[in-house]
Amino acid sequence: MDLRIFTEPQQGASYDDLLRVARTTEAAGYDAFFRSDHYLKMGSADGLPGPTDAWITLAGLARETERVRLGTLVTAATFRHPGPLAISVAQVDQMSGGRVEFGLGTGWYDDEHTAYGLTLPPLKERFDRYAEQLAVITGLWKTPVGQTFSYSGDYYTLADSPALPKPAQSPAPPVIIGGGGKKRTPALAAQYADEFNLPFVDAETALAQFERVDAAAEAIGRDPKEILRSVALVLAAGRDEAEVARRAGAIGREVDELRANGLAGTAAEIVDRIGQWREKTGITRLYLQVLDLSDLDHIEFVASEVAPQLD
């Protein structure tokens, strides 16, 4: 079971805050450090000092970490044109020595689009644009050096692109797709995804969607086992009940609710909960959503007390 740390810096974090968390993640032995791609806080958080850009952050972390993998859950297709985005991600992959993983989603948070002058198209158009972005970005990365890439879609047209730079990873960084759509999402995952992720759902919902992805892969002649299964869950772990309650309270959540819908409890409870998830859904990767970025001991505790029991 790969354990990864997943942060939501739009709720209030500077680059230096994220660097401390990423370095702690790496030192503690986790597989990866991930962040969201949002420009506006959610809920009652003050969001100070303001948003940090996902790919600028990851470029900095690429040079200030050594081993841990880096990525987004997930980059919003509405924020960036696919050609420049392919360049940015390829450059960060080069800067990190080939440690980037690329999560891409349709975009969804209306208020952040309004706040920063971005366009959020209707859902069908969003999916149409999303499908074209996946085709363009992966096509650019996988075009051999010395050849050109062209694409003609309803929303994006590229003519004789040199398709440079190339990522360090060949032929491309792993692509992560997720979401609960019953038709187009599984079909796109079957075509493009190396990993399928479901955030903040129950095991039964996750299993049903994983099975849809498997069926879509089989329908196009792809081995479903090529697509890794993962989930993201909110974390509130502790040495005893008081510490669990303190950590849940720090992020405005109730312990019982997190026990039901996330990962809350002592090390033994969390190991058991992860085991249930693995048995029910076949996941081999888990993103631990850490919302209190000042609590580095939380990250270290799970690494020392939970991770060794998952082998």
Side-chain angles (χ1 to χ4, degrees), residues 86-87 89-94 138-149 161-173:
I87 291 170
V89 177
Q91 183 177 1
V92 176
D93 197 47
Q94 289 282 356
T138 58
L140 287 167
W141 287 340
K142 293 179 180 180
T143 297
V145 173
Q147 297 184 23
T148 60
F149 175 79
S161 172
L164 297 172
K166 297 303 179 200
Q169 297 173 89
S170 181

Side-chain angles (χ1 to χ4, degrees), residues 44-300:
S44 61
D46 60 28
L48 295 174
T52 49
D53 182 84
W55 287 101
I56 291 176
T57 296
L58 294 175
L61 296 178
R63 308 303 284 182
E64 298 196 87
T65 58
E66 296 179 355
R67 177 196 58 80
V68 73
R69 297 189 67 79
L70 302 166
T72 52
L73 280 184
V74 288
T75 291
T78 50
F79 288 179
R80 304 166 184 88
H81 285 281
L85 179 57
I87 291 170
S88 296
V89 177
Q91 183 177 1
V92 176
D93 197 47
Q94 289 282 356
M95 293 169 70
S96 69
R99 292 185 282 129
V100 159
E101 306 204 359
F102 179 59
L104 185 67
T106 60
W108 62 271
Y109 186 20
D110 187 62
D111 287 350
E112 71 185 338
H113 291 75
T114 302
Y116 287 97
L118 299 164
T119 299
L120 185 68
L123 185 60
K124 181 184 182 305
E125 180 182 334
R126 250 183 287 161
F127 263 94
D128 291 342
R129 287 179 176 272
Y130 176 50
E132 290 192 17
Q133 285 216 7
L134 285 164
V136 168
I137 292 168
T138 58
L140 287 167
W141 287 340
K142 293 179 180 180
T143 297
V145 173
Q147 297 184 23
T148 60
F149 175 79
S150 296
Y151 180 86
S152 180
D154 292 332
Y155 300 100
Y156 305 104
T157 299
L158 290 77
D160 298 324
S161 172
L164 297 172
K166 297 303 179 200
Q169 297 173 89
S170 181
V175 172
I176 304 168
I177 290 175
K182 292 181 171 59
K183 293 182 179 179
R184 295 194 71 180
T185 298
L188 288 170
Q191 187 172 359
Y192 294 106
D194 298 286
E195 175 181 341
F196 192 82
N197 176 265
L198 283 164
F200 320 124
V201 299
D202 59 69
E204 290 72 23
T205 300
L207 178 59
Q209 186 70 337
F210 289 142
E211 289 176 341
R212 291 186 193 102
V213 172
D214 286 357
E218 290 171 349
I220 63 170
R222 185 179 180 192
D223 184 353
K225 292 185 174 60
E226 294 177 1
I227 305 172
L228 185 148
R229 296 180 176 187
S230 68
V231 297
L233 297 170
V234 184
L235 180 69
R239 294 166 181 82
D240 52 35
E241 192 65 22
E243 192 167 68
V244 174
R246 176 177 65 78
R247 286 186 166 134
I251 60 173
R253 302 285 287 269
E254 297 291 333
V255 174
D256 288 346
E257 181 268 325
L258 279 180
R259 276 196 167 98
N261 300 313
L263 278 179
T266 62
E269 289 178 282
I270 289 176
V271 168
D272 183 61
R273 180 80 163 148
I274 293 172
Q276 292 172 17
W277 265 95
R278 179 160 48 188
E279 183 176 349
K280 288 180 181 178
T281 67
I283 61 167
T284 57
R285 180 169 291 161
L286 177 59
Y287 293 81
L288 305 173
Q289 189 190 53
V290 176
L291 295 174
D292 182 358
L293 300 186
S294 67
D295 188 359
L296 300 181
D297 178 67
H298 197 190
I299 295 169
E300 293 168 341

